[in-house]
Amino acid sequence: MIQTSLGYQSGNYLERDEWTQGPYVALRFAFIKQSPLPVWDYELSYNTEEFLGLGLGHRWYFAEEDRYLPYARLGGNAYLESSDGVTGLIEIRRWRVHAGIGAGETFTGEIGTGFSVTGPDIYAQFGYNFQF
């Protein structure tokens, strides 16, 4: 399954105490061969502040038989500034923990918050799931 999302993110991603915010585009990849619902997903995102996000998340479903599939998601993300390159992966200030709630099987929505050593962030995203 591939989920394409558009979202809005606001938070402190830099050590300079800058509060950045703006829209972003995200792709989430999930393997659904073991179960009919995605449990683990891998995320790639890019925002207008030129941050590339890499992430891994796990979902817990509240009611699997519910048609809206409400879930809670806990994930870890790394946000790399384009000028840092891959070396930003080893900096602890680029890593953050995200927790969110969402719903949807085909069309999805999710809101959540994150935290790292540079400060908190909030996000909201809406997307579409392509299942293969």
Side-chain angles (χ1 to χ4, degrees):
M1 179 187 84
I2 296 176
Q3 177 186 19
T4 57
S5 299
L6 293 175
Y8 192 82
Q9 198 165 26
S10 178
N12 191 348
Y13 294 92
L14 302 171
E15 69 282 356
R16 298 186 300 262
D17 256 352
E18 285 183 16
W19 189 264
T20 61
Q21 58 186 356
Y24 68 92
V25 176
L27 291 174
R28 284 188 182 161
F29 305 93
F31 298 104
I32 54 177
K33 289 185 178 181
Q34 284 78 19
S35 73
L37 299 173
V39 178
W40 288 98
D41 60 55
Y42 308 92
E43 182 178 312
L44 179 66
S45 65
Y46 187 77
N47 69 15
T48 56
E49 298 289 329
E50 296 185 2
F51 281 102
L52 176 67
L54 305 172
L56 172 67
H58 189 276
R59 297 181 190 190
W60 291 271
Y61 292 92
F62 299 123
E64 292 184 17
E65 55 282 337
D66 189 321
R67 110 178 196 196
Y68 295 109
L69 291 176
Y71 63 87
R73 182 177 182 274
L74 183 64
N77 292 60
Y79 290 95
L80 308 173
E81 198 171 10
S82 59
S83 62
D84 288 346
V86 181
T87 58
L89 280 175
I90 60 173
E91 295 185 51
I92 190 78
R93 63 190 167 97
R94 299 289 184 212
W95 288 87
R96 51 184 57 243
V97 174
H98 276 152
I101 56 171
E105 183 176 7
T106 304
F107 291 98
T108 65
E110 183 176 319
I111 59 172
T113 186
F115 188 76
S116 77
V117 295
T118 58
D121 73 75
I122 55 174
Y123 71 94
Q125 70 181 34
F126 301 96
Y128 184 82
N129 290 329
F130 295 96
Q131 296 189 15
F132 300 96

